[in-house]
Amino acid sequence: MPEPVPAPGEVVVDVRRAGVCGTDVEFYTGHMAYLHDGNARYPVRIGHEWMGVVTELGPGADASWLGRRVTGDTMLGCGHCRLCRSGRQHVCADREEVGIRRGRAGALAERISVPATSLHALPDTVDDVLGALVEPAGNALRAAQAALSLGSGRQAERMLVVGPGTIGLLAALFVRAAGAEVELVGVSQTSVDFARSLGFTTWLGWDAVPETPFDAVIDAATDASTATRAVDLMQPGGRVVFIGIASTPSTIDTRTLLLKDVTATGILSASPGLDAAIAEFASGTVDARPLVAATVSLDHVEAVLAGEHPSGGPGPKVHVDPRR
């Protein structure tokens, strides 16, 4: 690949760390939806969870970014539509997505070029590991905040998180830090055991989940059948938050939502939660570093995408250090 050249308003970042996400695996296997609806095509350079140091400025880019440790927003809106003007560029119909959508090259490389306006500075209290976790943490924090707020000033006291993967665990950490009781359910003994090692009550399989209804449920799984189960477990007047994406359509009986007065919320993108996630990490309220099982070189990325879990810790996340 040629060295990136920053366009006007862009910067080049030397990548120090990048995370491998389930979306990256979907590109590797060919299952990514954008490959089938025209929003992405091969070749594509993947990687959207990253941090690094700004080393080069394009014309018009703010010189104060040079030399700073940063992470960046994945969602790059057109900047002109009504959604972008209202700060909702993450749902702009014409958006690029770093390493995902419309050919915007990603961070699984030594260097990446991104708009300076997408950058978020990292304080010294957020180390490189946490810096590369900001993007998934922003998603998870938005899900946690949505689930905690039941409206009219009420906060959820008891919550269930479905799917103890990276997003589910991050959401559970944020919920616990907010003072609510949180339990998890998963289908893998390995993921359940790891969640328990973090101090969470975690159930293996739906049959093990207690009958007591929950104030809120965060569905961070990729199984289409979990949406219905999540709604069934809801306390009347509660909230269910969907952040996991299934490969096939999920079905929910809207009569159940109506009769239980349940609010359903969907979460797309970390964009509105990036600054808050950085602040949570900086304050030490949540330490997500145990989620990173291993850090590998770019030479080992293909094996990770193919399903190999490198030797290291039991956490669900693998990081890449392009300098290795």
Side-chain angles (χ1 to χ4, degrees), residues 139-151:
N139 276 286
L141 180 57
R142 290 188 65 212
Q145 291 171 336
L148 285 164
S149 177
L150 301 178

Side-chain angles (χ1 to χ4, degrees), residues 145-167:
Q145 291 171 336
L148 285 164
S149 177
L150 301 178
S152 302
R154 295 185 301 131
Q155 177 170 304
E157 297 178 359
R158 185 166 185 260
M159 189 181 305
L160 180 71
V161 175
V162 184
T166 299
I167 296 295

Side-chain angles (χ1 to χ4, degrees), residues 187-283:
V187 295
S188 161
Q189 187 68 59
T190 300
S191 63
V192 166
D193 288 344
F194 179 67
R196 288 172 178 166
S197 76
L198 297 177
F200 293 110
T201 299
T202 308
W203 310 98
L204 180 62
W206 285 103
D207 293 340
V209 180
E211 294 293 331
T212 306
F214 294 87
D215 298 322
V217 177
I218 296 175
D219 181 1
T222 56
D223 184 339
S225 68
T226 61
T228 297
R229 298 297 300 271
V231 175
D232 288 342
L233 287 168
M234 291 297 306
Q235 181 87 9
R239 184 183 295 265
V240 59
V241 178
F242 298 106
I243 191 169
I245 301 178
S247 58
T248 57
S250 303
T251 56
I252 297 175
D253 189 340
T254 56
R255 294 172 298 182
T256 304
L257 292 178
L258 185 153
L259 294 172
K260 294 178 75 171
D261 199 23
V262 167
T263 300
T265 301
I267 298 293
L268 173 70
S269 169
S271 301
L274 291 171
D275 285 334
I278 292 171
E280 290 282 334
F281 285 167
S283 69

Side-chain angles (χ1 to χ4, degrees), residues 2-322:
E3 286 282 336
V5 176
E10 294 190 351
V11 303
V12 170
V13 176
D14 283 7
V15 179
R16 285 188 176 178
R17 239 169 219 272
V20 178
C21 174
T23 300
D24 301 322
V25 175
E26 290 181 354
F27 270 109
Y28 181 79
T29 61
H31 293 127
M32 175 61 188
Y34 285 166
L35 292 169
H36 306 285
D37 66 13
N39 278 304
R41 61 176 59 89
Y42 298 125
V44 57
R45 195 174 82 204
I46 54 179
H48 59 277
E49 304 175 3
W50 59 272
M51 66 76 55
V53 176
V54 177
T55 56
E56 190 175 347
L57 302 172
D62 187 342
S64 66
W65 285 113
L66 195 62
R68 299 182 73 180
R69 296 173 61 252
V70 297
T71 186
D73 198 342
T74 298
M75 307 300 212
L76 309 178
C78 71
H80 308 296
C81 70
R82 181 174 60 88
L83 292 169
C84 285
R85 293 197 308 271
S86 64
R88 293 173 288 170
Q89 83 285 348
H90 62 290
V91 287
C92 168
D94 294 325
R95 69 185 180 274
E96 295 179 345
E97 297 179 24
V98 174
I100 299 175
R101 195 173 193 255
R102 299 199 173 184
R104 170 62 72 163
L108 285 177
E110 292 86 351
R111 309 180 84 200
I112 183 175
S113 181
V114 294
T117 53
S118 72
L119 298 177
H120 292 255
L122 296 174
D124 292 340
T125 47
V126 176
D127 65 13
D128 290 359
V129 178
L130 288 173
L133 285 168
V134 166
E135 198 278 340
N139 276 286
L141 180 57
R142 290 188 65 212
Q145 291 171 336
L148 285 164
S149 177
L150 301 178
S152 302
R154 295 185 301 131
Q155 177 170 304
E157 297 178 359
R158 185 166 185 260
M159 189 181 305
L160 180 71
V161 175
V162 184
T166 299
I167 296 295
L169 289 169
L170 284 166
L173 288 168
F174 287 125
V175 168
R176 184 169 67 184
E181 177 186 348
V182 57
E183 301 174 12
L184 296 96
V185 58
V187 295
S188 161
Q189 187 68 59
T190 300
S191 63
V192 166
D193 288 344
F194 179 67
R196 288 172 178 166
S197 76
L198 297 177
F200 293 110
T201 299
T202 308
W203 310 98
L204 180 62
W206 285 103
D207 293 340
V209 180
E211 294 293 331
T212 306
F214 294 87
D215 298 322
V217 177
I218 296 175
D219 181 1
T222 56
D223 184 339
S225 68
T226 61
T228 297
R229 298 297 300 271
V231 175
D232 288 342
L233 287 168
M234 291 297 306
Q235 181 87 9
R239 184 183 295 265
V240 59
V241 178
F242 298 106
I243 191 169
I245 301 178
S247 58
T248 57
S250 303
T251 56
I252 297 175
D253 189 340
T254 56
R255 294 172 298 182
T256 304
L257 292 178
L258 185 153
L259 294 172
K260 294 178 75 171
D261 199 23
V262 167
T263 300
T265 301
I267 298 293
L268 173 70
S269 169
S271 301
L274 291 171
D275 285 334
I278 292 171
E280 290 282 334
F281 285 167
S283 69
T285 303
V286 168
D287 183 4
R289 287 172 290 192
L291 273 63
V292 180
T295 302
V296 302
S297 69
L298 283 170
D299 290 339
H300 290 86
V301 169
E302 184 176 8
V304 173
L305 294 171
E308 179 182 307
H309 196 74
S311 59
K317 177 62 68 176
V318 175
H319 274 178
V320 179
D321 184 345

